[in-house]
């Protein structure tokens, strides 16, 4: 991996970290496909991701509208502060691909 793709990730031990994968507009805004952060709740992982991209307003706007998968399971209407992402786990951030109502950080609006 290049230095740019691992910026902010050097101090997080990979085997003890959460892999955060970005898709589509989130990947473009982040400037990379993946970050590695400490495990915790979805809310804590998202806060860590936001800290890695501090000052990147485009990324922050995209982050606000992303749907979240924890492993292969959608976060859906669950409270991000109540769902844990364990060490070695994966969080996927998927922005809307083709319209649709979106609301709140990490949650699609109920339609």
């Amino acid at each position: 991996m290049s230095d740019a793709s691992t910026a902010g990730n050097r101090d997080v031990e990979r085997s003890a970290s959460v892999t955060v994968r970005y898709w589509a507009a989130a990947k473009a805004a982040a400037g990379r496909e993946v970050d590695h952060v400490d495990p915790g709740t979805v809310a804590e992982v998202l806060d860590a991701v936001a800290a890695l991209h501090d000052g990147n307003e485009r990324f922050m706007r995209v982050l606000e509208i992303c749907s979240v998968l924890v492993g292969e399971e959608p976060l859906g209407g669950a409270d991000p502060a109540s769902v844990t992402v364990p060490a070695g786990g994966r969080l996927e951030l998927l922005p809307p691909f083709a319209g649709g109502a979106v609301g709140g950080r990490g949650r699609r609006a109920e339609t």
Side-chain angles (χ1 to χ4, degrees), residues 27-63:
K27 179 179 171 183
R32 55 187 172 255
E33 183 177 328
V34 67
D35 275 318
H36 299 276
V37 299
D38 289 330
T41 66
V42 170
E44 291 167 337
V45 170
L46 292 174
D47 286 345
V49 164
L52 287 176
H53 297 274
D54 187 38
N56 182 342
E57 293 303 316
R58 179 179 173 209
F59 178 80
M60 295 304 167
R61 285 191 306 271
V62 173
L63 180 61

Side-chain angles (χ1 to χ4, degrees), residues 42-43 46 67-70 72-83 91 105-107:
V42 170
L46 292 174
S67 293
V68 174
L69 295 178
V70 180
E72 296 182 10
E73 295 297 318
L75 181 61
D79 178 4
S82 70
V83 177
L91 194 91
R105 183 163 133 184
R107 287 193 269 190

